[in-house]
Amino acid sequence: MAALARYRDVWRIPGAPVLLIPGVLARLGVSMTPLALLLLVQRTTGQYTTAAVASAAYALSGAAASPVAGRLADRYRAAPVLLVTAVIHPVALVLLVGTATRHLPFWSVLASSAVAGAGYPPLTAAVRGAWNTLTAAGTGREHLHATAMAAETILLELVFIVGPAAVAVFLIAGTPATALFGSALVTLVGTVVVARAPVLRDFTRDGRLDRTRGLGPLRVAGFSALVAAAAGCGCAFGVCAVAVPAFATGYSPATRGLGGFLLAVWGIGSLVGGLVFASRPPARPLARQFPWLLGALAASLAVLAVMPNPTALGVALILGGATIAPVLTVHNSLVGLVTPGRMINEGYTWIVTTSIAAGSLGGALAGVLVDHAGTGWPFVVAAAAVGLAALYAASPRAGLVAASRVSSR
């Protein structure tokens, strides 16, 4: 009951309903677009390798543009940046569908994928930055910061449940192109709603804060461990985004949409794990929990490599998925704890950028492995990536425990 009371208090924060509902639904494209893009290019070219390369172009361009968008949001407010990108991204997706379905030269598919990725609105950084502002020290709501981040993470899991399932429905009733159109529309409408909300529109930057220069939050003690964790998890999620649909297609080519439903099942496991994790008070400091949570996620990924059929894979995904939301909840909280306030949007965009870049590389590698070594090895790579991140986060050299201890004082 105490946990439910904290969530109720978060909901009552001015501006919270917009962050929790439109702020989450606007990000359906995070899970819809990469999957639909992969399937569209695979269908038009007949190869997972070319599809993974197009997905990498989408993700890497977004990774390159996100820190710039984050710094602009810190300097000039998030709302104008969101409104501009809310137009660029959907237009680029429409162009992508046109180039792929008309079988234009592959470079045009790559170019439109890259523009779509670079133009994706920095919604995650804006929403998490807003939560940090609403629950900052001196607001009287600082005790709700961890609960707000847990609510953001748990609700965001709906994106990874509804998104792949929506793509699966589009595939049954239509094509991957239809799914991309739907993703573009949701992103456009949702981003405009969030950007026009008072919690972002009326935010004014404290002029006493220095402008961020150079490497910004990358120089902050302990931040490298959070970047490494974003890289490991991003790589693993990128690998699975390719390997799970490939496993489903290879086992049952006639069953359309099975890969999307399996990914949705993974998200359901994460949602349940997040709810259980958030209902319990932390037994130890977040920085000390983090490596153990990463280790549990790595173990759950390793198990996927030996699953014999889609039913077994689905069971392993729903059980292993329970580790995802706790990892992301603690990760998001540590970013807000370690990063200085004047760099908060940029800090979150570096995390998103690293995750996306690693995800694109993981997806590209998974495409090659699927084509040449089967669907088991990609899961081994995913487990290794997260395991290495866990080891680094636990090492004193990473400085995460010391940095979080100093910041919490």
Side-chain angles (χ1 to χ4, degrees):
M1 294 301 292
L4 292 178
R6 289 197 299 272
Y7 285 119
R8 184 178 62 245
D9 292 340
V10 168
W11 176 261
R12 290 173 176 172
I13 296 174
V18 173
L19 299 179
L20 290 172
I21 300 178
V24 171
L25 294 179
R27 286 175 277 176
L28 275 173
V30 171
S31 60
M32 287 183 68
T33 299
L35 178 58
L37 189 158
L38 177 81
L39 296 175
L40 174 70
V41 179
Q42 191 277 331
R43 178 173 293 188
T44 55
T45 65
Q47 293 183 335
Y48 271 104
T49 299
T50 54
V53 170
S55 297
Y58 174 84
L60 288 174
S61 63
S66 287
V68 177
R71 186 166 294 190
L72 289 173
D74 281 329
R75 186 170 297 182
Y76 301 111
R77 297 183 304 121
V81 178
L82 289 175
L83 290 173
V84 171
T85 52
V87 175
I88 295 173
H89 178 73
V91 170
L93 286 183
V94 172
L95 292 174
L96 170 61
V97 171
T99 58
T101 56
R102 295 179 184 178
H103 301 283
L104 296 181
F106 188 61
W107 67 261
S108 63
V109 175
L110 291 179
S112 53
S113 298
V115 174
Y120 188 81
L123 282 160
T124 297
V127 169
R128 291 174 183 171
W131 278 123
N132 276 283
T133 300
L134 292 173
T135 58
T139 62
R141 310 184 194 105
E142 49 267 39
H143 63 291
L144 295 175
H145 176 77
T147 306
M149 283 300 174
E152 150 77 4
T153 301
I154 292 168
L155 287 177
L156 191 58
E157 288 306 313
L158 292 174
V159 166
F160 297 97
I161 298 171
V162 176
V167 172
V169 171
F170 276 118
L171 290 177
I172 294 170
T175 65
T178 311
L180 280 176
F181 287 140
S183 177
L185 181 61
V186 168
T187 302
L188 171 62
V189 174
T191 302
V192 171
V193 170
V194 173
R196 297 299 300 163
V199 66
L200 288 178
R201 186 189 64 209
D202 299 338
F203 174 77
T204 55
R205 185 180 184 275
D206 189 344
R208 295 172 297 178
L209 296 177
D210 295 333
R211 288 186 173 184
T212 304
R213 294 178 174 82
L215 296 177
L218 296 178
R219 298 175 298 176
V220 175
F223 197 78
S224 65
L226 301 175
V227 171
C233 293
C235 178
F237 298 152
V239 165
C240 291
V242 174
V244 170
F247 181 96
T249 301
Y251 190 88
S252 180
T255 307
R256 301 174 67 184
L258 179 58
F261 282 116
L262 286 172
L263 291 174
V265 161
W266 202 24
I268 292 172
S270 178
L271 177 63
V272 173
L275 288 170
V276 173
F277 182 79
S279 68
R280 298 174 177 272
R284 59 173 64 188
L286 295 180
R288 295 193 180 277
Q289 291 185 55
F290 193 47
W292 290 101
L293 291 171
L294 287 170
L297 175 58
S300 75
L301 292 167
V303 170
L304 302 180
V306 295
M307 293 299 102
N309 54 58
T311 301
L313 184 67
V315 172
L317 285 170
I318 199 168
L319 293 176
T323 62
I324 297 175
V327 166
L328 298 181
T329 296
V330 174
H331 194 211
N332 292 334
S333 296
L334 287 171
V335 173
L337 189 63
V338 169
T339 310
R342 71 182 186 278
M343 305 178 184
I344 196 66
N345 278 290
E346 187 179 351
Y348 278 114
T349 53
W350 271 115
I351 296 300
V352 173
T353 286
T354 303
S355 179
I356 291 173
S360 68
L361 293 175
L365 178 58
V368 174
L369 289 174
V370 166
D371 282 340
H372 299 286
T375 56
W377 282 105
F379 297 122
V380 175
V381 171
V386 178
L388 290 173
L391 292 174
Y392 182 61
S395 69
R397 185 173 183 177
L400 182 59
V401 173
S404 62
R405 187 185 300 124
V406 170
S407 300
S408 62
R409 289 177 181 173

